[in-house]
Amino acid sequence: MTYELDSTPADEPHATDESHANHDRDPDEGCTTESSAAGSGLEESLGVTIPDDHVGAFVAQAFEDVERSTEWTEAVDAVVPDDARDAWRSLSARDQVVELLEMADEFDRRATESLEAIPLDRGGLDDDLRERFDEAKRLRRNADILRDGIAAGYAEGRVSDEELVAAVEAFEFDTAVIAEREDELDSVANAYDLDFRPYGGTLMTEREPDEDADEFEAW
C-alpha cells in the first residue's frame, strides 16, 4: 500500500472527537530532553509504498529520536498529572497516542511562535530575545520526546500497528508543522550564530553537549 505523511500546511488546527484525559491542563507542564525530530521543508505529500505489515513500524520510525531511548512511561509520566491518571488509563491505546500527538503539536506551534517573534536584523540578542530562543528550544525538545515516547510505546508492544496508524490518521499528523519549526530555528540560529541540534542530532558546535541535556525539566 502507499502510506502518505502529508507535509502540506493544514487549513484548520488538528482536532478529534475523542475525550481528552488532560484537556484543561497546560501542556507546558510536560517533559524536556535535548532531542530532535523534524520533517523536511517540502510542501507536498510524500508517497511511499509500504507493505501492510510494516506500516506501523514505518510510522514509529518516523517518530523515533535517533539520539534517545525514551520509554513510553517516561513520556506519559512527564505530561499526565496524577489527578488525570484514571482518565488516562480509561483511554484506548489509540486515543492515548492521539493525546500525545496533540500535545507535541502544541509544543511545536508554540516553539515556532517564539522563534517568529525574534527579529533577524539585529547585531545580537538581548536577554529577552535569548530567553525566547531558549524557550523555543525547550518546547521543541518537549515535542520531540513525546513523539519518541510514542515510538517506544510501539516498540514495547503497548501500541499495535493498527492502533498507531489509526491514531496518526485520526490526528491527521502533518510534518509541515515540524518543518516550519525547524526552518524558524535554523533562521534564528544562523542569524545570531547560535548552537542547536538540527534534524539528525548533530550539534552545530565544536563544544560538547550540556551534561544535563538528557534530563526532563518539569516546569
Side-chain angles (χ1 to χ4, degrees), residues 17-75:
D17 294 331
E18 306 297 334
S19 60
H20 302 321
N22 49 355
H23 178 74
D24 295 327
R25 183 185 51 75
D26 181 0
D28 194 40
E29 295 175 359
C31 58
T32 301
T33 65
E34 182 66 54
S35 60
S36 62
S40 69
L42 298 177
E43 294 187 353
E44 58 186 30
S45 295
L46 174 63
V48 181
T49 301
I50 303 295
D52 290 347
D53 293 343
H54 299 287
V55 173
F58 172 79
V59 174
Q61 186 174 14
F63 289 158
E64 185 177 357
D65 187 324
V66 297
E67 291 195 325
R68 299 291 171 260
S69 182
T70 308
E71 295 182 1
W72 168 267
T73 53
E74 287 183 276

Side-chain angles (χ1 to χ4, degrees), residues 2-182:
T2 298
Y3 188 81
E4 290 189 353
L5 290 181
D6 187 6
S7 61
T8 56
D11 294 331
E12 298 180 356
H14 301 308
T16 69
D17 294 331
E18 306 297 334
S19 60
H20 302 321
N22 49 355
H23 178 74
D24 295 327
R25 183 185 51 75
D26 181 0
D28 194 40
E29 295 175 359
C31 58
T32 301
T33 65
E34 182 66 54
S35 60
S36 62
S40 69
L42 298 177
E43 294 187 353
E44 58 186 30
S45 295
L46 174 63
V48 181
T49 301
I50 303 295
D52 290 347
D53 293 343
H54 299 287
V55 173
F58 172 79
V59 174
Q61 186 174 14
F63 289 158
E64 185 177 357
D65 187 324
V66 297
E67 291 195 325
R68 299 291 171 260
S69 182
T70 308
E71 295 182 1
W72 168 267
T73 53
E74 287 183 276
V76 172
D77 289 348
V79 295
V80 180
D82 291 341
D83 59 2
R85 290 305 172 90
D86 288 341
W88 174 263
R89 285 188 288 267
S90 71
L91 296 176
S92 65
R94 167 193 174 278
D95 293 342
Q96 288 178 345
V97 172
V98 170
E99 287 283 330
L100 294 178
L101 286 174
E102 288 182 341
M103 285 185 274
D105 189 74
E106 178 63 17
F107 283 134
D108 279 336
R109 292 182 185 280
R110 290 170 56 192
T112 300
E113 290 175 359
S114 292
L115 292 166
E116 289 176 338
I118 300 176
L120 303 179
D121 57 354
R122 298 189 181 182
L125 295 179
D126 57 25
D127 290 342
D128 178 65
L129 293 180
R130 184 170 292 277
E131 184 177 342
R132 285 182 180 272
F133 181 74
D134 291 340
E135 173 69 358
K137 289 199 301 180
R138 187 180 72 84
L139 293 167
R140 174 182 184 249
R141 293 193 296 266
N142 286 350
D144 292 342
I145 198 62
L146 288 183
R147 280 187 285 265
D148 193 43
I150 292 172
Y154 174 82
E156 295 166 10
R158 297 174 181 269
V159 182
S160 69
D161 289 74
E162 294 78 10
E163 290 166 331
L164 180 58
V165 173
V168 171
E169 291 177 345
F171 177 67
E172 299 180 355
F173 176 71
D174 190 350
T175 58
V177 176
I178 305 173
E180 183 180 7
R181 179 199 73 182
E182 291 300 288

